Amino acid sequence: MPVTMPAITLLFASLFVLFNLVLMARVSLARRSSNVGIGSGGDPLLRRRVRVHANFIEQVPIALLLMALLELAGLAQAWLWAFGVVLLAGRLLHARGLSASAGYSYGRFLGTVLSWGVLLAEAVAGLAMAARHLG
């Protein structure tokens, strides 16, 4: 079976790298302004920015990996586009919500629900495709 380029995942991975660079820059700027080299130094703004970036890193790579595997396995493009768009929306909402407040926010909640939903849907799709292939 020929291997095709996972173009949809490549597009979304590139967008997420740009998003990650923005999050990294926000952490760096907060570190510079609060003169903190590692950790948060007790600075609430820096602590939130570090958590926004960390949460991104905790969820996006595994979602993109599974998305690429699903694309290579032949999942319908509509599903891949939906996973990418919903994950991007979820991460943007989460970053905005958590950046504004360390407590509850609609953006943080909805961003989490969307991100977890994509991870769950990708896992179910992966299990179904693997079961069909193996069985």
Side-chain angles (χ1 to χ4, degrees):
M1 171 191 276
V3 175
T4 60
M5 182 178 89
I8 297 170
T9 304
L10 179 59
L11 170 73
F12 281 103
S14 299
L15 292 172
F16 279 112
V17 166
L18 296 174
F19 188 0
N20 188 39
L21 287 167
V22 169
L23 296 177
M24 290 176 356
R26 288 169 34 96
V27 170
S28 292
L29 291 171
R31 284 191 191 288
R32 176 175 283 183
S33 70
S34 62
N35 200 28
V36 174
I38 193 165
S40 64
D43 182 284
L45 174 64
L46 178 54
R47 184 172 43 247
R48 278 198 319 274
R49 287 186 179 180
V50 165
R51 275 312 310 151
V52 168
H53 181 249
N55 193 275
F56 179 94
I57 292 301
E58 290 163 1
Q59 295 186 31
V60 171
I62 192 71
L64 286 173
L65 173 62
L66 194 46
M67 186 175 166
L69 292 170
L70 290 166
E71 187 167 3
L72 290 170
L75 185 68
Q77 287 188 357
W79 282 107
L80 297 165
W81 282 104
F83 291 155
V85 168
V86 172
L87 183 64
L88 184 58
R91 294 291 80 211
L92 287 167
L93 285 166
H94 184 273
R96 183 167 182 181
L98 184 54
S99 292
S101 168
Y104 175 85
S105 72
Y106 180 74
R108 184 178 180 188
F109 172 77
L110 185 56
T112 298
V113 169
L114 292 175
S115 299
W116 289 13
V118 167
L119 288 165
L120 177 60
E122 286 180 340
V124 169
L127 288 168
M129 291 183 82
R132 277 195 304 270
H133 181 75
L134 294 172

